[in-house]
Amino acid sequence: MPVQPDPARPSLFTWEFAADPYPAYAWLREHEPVHRTTLPSGVEAWLVTRYADARQALADSRLSKNPVHHSTHAHRTGRVGIPGERQANLMTHLLNIDPPDHTRLRRLVSKAFTPRRVAAFEPRVQQLTDRLIDGFAARGSADLIHEFAFPLPIYAICDLLGVPAEDQDDFRDWAGMMIRHGGGRRGGVGRAVKRMRSYLAELIHRKRADLGDDLISGLIRASDHGEHLTENEAAAMAFILLFAGFETTVNLIGNGTYALLRNPGQRELLQDSIARGETGLLETGIEELLRYDGPVELATWRFATSPLTIGGVEIPVGDPVLVVLAAADRDPARFADENTLDLARTDNPHLGFGHGIHYCIGAPLARLEGRAALATLLTRLPDLQLAESPENLRWRGGLIMRGLRELPVEFTPENAEKNPV
């Protein structure tokens, strides 16, 4: 007799699931912690949902990041990885390679994200934050995604890369097409990626004649000093730093603000702490927001290069494995009161930025932007509130990232003379 489907098994990847995936992930953790599923793209993959299994998988060298190890080579048709990256010849970046190439490229890029360099960038992040809030503070309403959470990290990462100010709005347009995940015109994502690739190649050529103190100049210097960084590698690295460096922060700010608005007691504690000039609760609060409803729902693709066992389940060679960070970070076996937002939580080894050699290299910058964004919003717009009921908010439908499409808010307008636009 054929096996009957379990009627209690939740549906995955529906619009209802996107709005609140956590009950479904709780069911999987308890009943099928390593779950084989068919993704919306048609690719079959394993979902890893328990914290201990997730940490193991994220650090397991038998799980390759290189999509050539996928048994069905779905990467050739764009069904795994970042849409458009293959057609634009942008595959050679940190999310798609393994050691030793990963080690070499990460060493080069890590110089841009040292604590010292990120700290030196803090005044610029604050300047960008205030400028964006100035644009709507006197109006009394805003869409915090499109007017604030989205442009802030775009302009910040463009500054770090060395994109001239007059070109940054183009990057904002291309990035907007990329994160719509098919919500715009057909083929729009692929066109945006190709345009970005062409621009980056041109920018690399221009900077070779006029090196500065930016990240792209640093990559060029490394290449010229024997590090063997090809132009394709430099363009791909700039691309992934932009792509991964902005969308993660968009969702950190958007999801974090939304969580605070839905947890007024925690939000009040944080506002009071900021008003007293304290930083401790803001710092632990950012980590808790990363755990509670983080910006990356599933870690990027991994492929088994040899048979391995995760959570008692055997994974065949060539099968894709997706570690569900959102599920692992609410595992009651690791986190007490896992569904409660507790900004003062200190025992918080969340996986929001990953784990192991692929830990997010831009995490220090994302944290800095998150702290600046939330502290400034709560200080300048203290009575910020949702302008739409939560059930009417829409979440983006992409596989890897978790973020709102819009976040309409209302507040008492700032004095226009005090903060001119």
Side-chain angles (χ1 to χ4, degrees):
M1 293 181 60
V3 177
Q4 297 297 315
D6 186 342
R9 181 182 289 114
S11 297
L12 305 178
F13 312 119
T14 65
W15 288 112
E16 292 78 13
F17 169 82
D20 183 11
Y22 296 104
Y25 288 148
W27 190 95
L28 289 178
R29 276 196 312 265
E30 182 176 355
H31 299 284
E32 297 181 26
V34 181
H35 172 69
R36 189 173 177 85
T37 189
T38 301
L39 304 172
S41 63
V43 173
E44 293 189 351
W46 296 93
L47 303 181
V48 179
T49 57
R50 287 181 179 169
Y51 182 86
D53 296 337
R55 275 182 63 94
Q56 172 200 334
L58 291 172
D60 197 319
S61 61
R62 295 169 295 178
L63 288 173
S64 170
K65 297 289 290 174
N66 193 332
V68 300
H69 294 294
H70 188 193
S71 57
T72 61
H73 299 292
H75 64 288
R76 291 179 181 169
T77 57
R79 291 191 291 156
V80 304
I82 298 171
E85 64 179 357
R86 169 165 290 278
Q87 292 85 345
N89 198 19
L90 287 170
M91 292 287 290
T92 312
H93 56 68
L94 291 175
L95 295 186
N96 284 342
I97 57 175
D98 304 313
D101 286 336
H102 176 271
T103 307
R104 172 176 60 90
L105 293 181
R106 188 178 177 99
R107 183 178 65 250
L108 296 177
V109 179
S110 64
K111 297 173 184 177
F113 294 103
T114 62
R116 185 176 184 177
R117 181 156 188 168
V118 171
F121 198 56
E122 185 172 2
R124 176 57 176 158
V125 171
Q126 187 62 54
Q127 181 186 40
L128 289 169
T129 301
D130 280 316
R131 189 185 80 190
L132 290 168
I133 295 177
D134 287 346
F136 56 79
R139 197 170 69 227
S141 65
D143 177 353
L144 284 186
I145 300 299
H146 293 283
E147 298 183 73
F148 184 62
F150 175 69
L152 173 59
I154 280 286
Y155 293 137
I157 199 69
C158 279
D159 280 355
L160 272 181
L161 288 171
V163 176
E166 61 269 21
D167 296 339
Q168 293 186 5
D169 283 338
D170 287 335
F171 267 76
R172 179 174 174 169
D173 291 342
W174 297 330
M177 289 186 229
M178 289 165 60
I179 71 168
R180 279 195 282 270
H181 301 301
R185 291 178 299 171
R186 183 176 178 82
V189 174
R191 284 194 296 272
V193 173
K194 287 182 179 179
R195 288 171 185 166
M196 192 177 291
R197 169 68 174 89
S198 297
Y199 176 85
L200 289 171
E202 178 189 348
L203 184 61
I204 289 168
H205 282 300
R206 282 162 40 197
K207 284 189 174 293
R208 282 192 181 278
D210 186 20
L211 294 176
D213 189 35
D214 53 81
L215 180 52
I216 290 180
S217 295
L219 293 175
I220 293 169
R221 286 192 185 93
S223 180
D224 291 344
H225 286 81
E227 291 282 1
H228 309 298
L229 189 72
T230 68
E231 181 182 293
N232 278 345
E233 286 176 332
M237 289 299 300
F239 165 74
I240 199 58
L241 288 170
L242 176 75
F243 182 82
F246 92 85
E247 191 171 5
T248 300
T249 309
V250 173
N251 296 345
L252 169 58
I253 296 170
N255 297 4
T257 303
Y258 179 63
L260 291 174
L261 294 178
R262 298 204 68 191
N263 290 268
Q266 291 292 298
R267 172 246 189 96
E268 184 178 351
L269 288 174
L270 182 56
Q271 282 181 300
D272 290 345
S273 174
I274 293 169
R276 293 193 299 269
E278 299 169 354
T279 61
L281 191 62
L282 180 61
E283 292 175 357
T284 59
I286 289 291
E287 303 309 310
E288 175 68 347
L289 292 168
L290 286 162
R291 181 202 71 84
Y292 179 78
D293 198 8
V296 184
E297 189 166 344
L298 284 75
T300 49
W301 297 82
R302 285 167 167 77
F303 307 91
T305 57
S306 61
L308 72 154
T309 301
I310 303 176
V313 176
E314 294 186 6
I315 309 295
V317 173
D319 274 15
V321 174
L322 292 168
V323 177
V324 187
L325 305 180
D329 279 344
R330 291 208 189 186
D331 188 343
R334 180 58 189 85
F335 299 99
D337 299 320
E338 73 280 5
N339 292 318
T340 299
L341 181 69
D342 179 6
L343 299 181
R345 190 187 297 266
T346 54
D347 180 19
N348 194 3
H350 64 80
L351 302 176
F353 286 127
H355 173 66
I357 65 170
H358 291 283
Y359 183 85
C360 177
I361 199 168
L365 178 61
R367 287 184 168 107
L368 168 62
E369 292 176 291
R371 290 194 302 268
L374 294 179
T376 309
L377 276 176
L378 294 177
T379 300
R380 291 186 57 176
L381 312 175
D383 61 350
L384 190 73
Q385 61 182 345
L386 285 172
E388 184 63 79
S389 59
E391 58 268 21
N392 290 335
L393 296 180
R394 296 182 301 156
W395 295 78
R396 289 198 296 272
L399 182 66
I400 301 298
M401 297 291 186
R402 172 166 172 78
L404 288 159
R405 289 177 180 265
E406 64 279 317
L407 184 57
V409 295
E410 298 174 332
F411 46 88
T412 300
E414 269 192 348
N415 186 319
E417 294 181 359
K418 178 182 176 182
N419 292 290
V421 175

